[in-house]
Amino acid sequence: MVTQEAIGLGEEALGDGKRGMILVAGGQGTRLGFEPPKGMFPIGPVSARTLFQMHCDRLLAMMKRYRTSLPMYVMTSPATDAETRQYFAQHDRCGLAEDQLIIFCQGTMPAVDAQTGNVLLSSKDSLALSPDGHGGLVAALARHGCLDDARRRGIEYLYYAHVYN
């Protein structure tokens, strides 16, 4: 059960700028019958606003309510990185300031056949690579300087959200 004390502490931390957001957005929308990254999927029945816009709108509302600036770190995958960056550039970062939106790409690891455990090849002389997923988040944050950025901002807590739920 959430207590008034917990709510007060959370609101204080938001107002003090000690929070940030991680949006995990590396997936493609193929299961939705949608080729672009999932974050570009239009969910607004009338407005056709995308999942990316919805998350940014919610973050902007929090910033307005608590009169603070909260960064959003968006993790992409090699398959979605360029298109995601282009989307945010074309849509004026969905209202976020330049220093509030940090896009970084997750790492990769060798692909393995689920039945045999053998490493897969993409060609005779090249390993097949797959995104390292949620398990690679902290390493990707560190590799791209996001953890250092959060420390410089005084962020102590990061809210972790999936783009599609």
Side-chain angles (χ1 to χ4, degrees), residues 60 63 69-70 92-102 153:
L60 287 163
M63 288 189 277
S69 178
L70 303 168
D92 194 30
R93 296 173 307 281
C94 294
L96 296 174
E98 198 170 320
D99 69 334
Q100 293 168 331
L101 177 66
I102 300 93
R153 294 173 189 255

Side-chain angles (χ1 to χ4, degrees), residues 64-135:
K64 183 177 179 181
R65 180 176 180 181
Y66 295 103
R67 297 181 184 102
T68 191
S69 178
L70 303 168
M72 182 166 73
Y73 301 93
V74 178
M75 186 170 82
T76 64
S77 70
T80 64
D81 188 68
E83 208 167 354
T84 298
R85 289 176 189 276
Q86 182 179 22
Y87 171 85
F88 277 108
Q90 290 175 340
H91 292 87
D92 194 30
R93 296 173 307 281
C94 294
L96 296 174
E98 198 170 320
D99 69 334
Q100 293 168 331
L101 177 66
I102 300 93
I103 300 172
F104 66 103
C105 190
Q106 68 190 107
T108 58
M109 61 185 204
V112 177
D113 183 280
Q115 293 185 0
T116 66
N118 293 332
V119 174
L120 300 174
L121 299 175
S122 62
S123 65
K124 281 186 163 188
D125 61 350
S126 181
L127 290 175
L129 299 175
S130 295
D132 60 5
H134 301 280

Side-chain angles (χ1 to χ4, degrees), residues 42-50 53 57:
I43 60 163
V46 176
S47 68
R49 293 189 65 78
T50 66
Q53 289 169 320
D57 288 348

